[in-house]
Amino acid sequence: GAGVSQSPRYKVAKRGQDVALRCDPISGHVSLFWYQQALGQGPEFLTYFQNEAQLDKSGLPSDRFFAERPEGSVSTLKIQRTQQEDSAVYLCASSSLTGNTIYFGEGSWLTVV
Amino acid sequence: GQQVMQIPQYQHVQEGEDFTTYCNSSTTLSNIQWYKQRPGGHPVFLIQLVKSGEVKKQKRLTFQFGEAKKNSSLHITATQTTDVGTYFCAGRNYGQNFVFGPGTRLSVLP
């Protein structure tokens, strides 16, 4: 597609529920990033893929967070047993290998009640 | 770990006034990027600076990378209402991923 596509755009989850957030990067982009953005804050790095390889997952806040990109294109961020502090916008971004320009998706707005 | 700070946190200006936001890193950066995020929107890439002392211009926007590659600034001349949003810097420390600053939220009064 023309840009980075994320779904769902909005998700309300009950505390303890599992959620899965999908990212469809720009076609041909090797690098894919997940960021978490709390209200009024800057994006916080979660994890980075180069093709299907997860090269950096140092930003994942707990073992309840898991990301995959099995075929090197679409990526899924899964949050197990959601908690209220997980409420945030989850931004996906992609870039070519040189990484000079990073394109963000619209984000998935997660609210845990 | 690497920390990126921005000042001011908020800035209210009258349309036509100039605006500057400053970005400071706790470590030397390989490069720095600037993004703009409109309310309710997603960050949009503006520019990347790589060289020490580099200055780049985009119409009314001037971006500067410090000589020590630990700070940067974004200056907007004669602000317009379309400049409203939050401006983020994001610094990379030689091979690691980009660390975003907390942003400067700009309001422009008509």
Side-chain angles (χ1 to χ4, degrees), chain B:
Chain B
Q2 179 189 350
Q3 292 186 330
V4 176
M5 302 304 299
Q6 282 184 256
I7 54 170
Q9 188 176 4
Y10 301 96
Q11 184 77 59
H12 306 279
V13 300
Q14 203 74 36
E15 188 173 21
E17 290 181 340
D18 293 355
F19 160 76
T20 304
T21 174
Y22 300 91
C23 177
N24 293 285
S25 170
S26 59
T27 60
T28 302
L29 302 171
S30 59
N31 49 10
I32 194 163
Q33 296 183 344
W34 283 92
Y35 292 80
K36 177 184 178 181
Q37 186 173 25
R38 293 181 184 274
H42 60 280
V44 174
F45 175 86
L46 294 176
I47 208 160
Q48 173 168 281
L49 304 172
V50 179
K51 299 177 183 176
S52 170
E54 187 172 14
V55 178
K56 285 189 176 180
K57 293 189 176 184
Q58 288 179 353
K59 296 183 181 178
R60 294 178 296 104
L61 278 60
T62 302
F63 304 84
Q64 188 167 6
F65 202 6
E67 294 290 340
K69 300 184 74 173
K70 294 183 71 173
N71 56 71
S72 181
S73 65
L74 158 60
H75 179 82
I76 303 179
T77 303
T79 54
Q80 300 175 359
T81 54
T82 52
D83 296 326
V84 165
T86 301
Y87 292 86
F88 293 100
C89 64
R92 178 153 63 185
N93 183 2
Y94 297 98
Q96 297 179 13
N97 293 294
F98 283 97
V99 175
F100 279 74
T104 295
R105 188 173 302 175
L106 174 64
S107 298
V108 180
L109 304 174

Side-chain angles (χ1 to χ4, degrees), chain A residues 13-81:
Chain A
K14 291 186 177 179
R15 191 158 54 93
Q17 190 177 1
D18 296 350
V19 299
L21 308 176
R22 175 190 168 107
C23 173
D24 203 338
I26 292 173
S27 179
H29 275 188
V30 168
S31 298
L32 186 145
F33 307 83
W34 282 98
Y35 284 86
Q36 180 191 59
Q37 186 174 26
L39 194 64
Q41 304 294 319
E44 296 272 351
F45 170 77
L46 293 177
T47 187
Y48 164 64
F49 289 86
Q50 191 174 105
N51 293 309
E52 69 279 2
Q54 190 174 19
L55 299 186
D56 189 342
K57 55 181 182 179
S58 61
L60 295 176
S62 77
D63 59 7
R64 296 186 296 105
F65 287 71
F66 172 77
E68 60 183 5
R69 193 186 185 196
E71 297 179 359
S73 54
V74 171
S75 177
T76 303
L77 176 66
K78 298 179 180 178
I79 309 173
Q80 297 177 325
R81 305 181 302 283

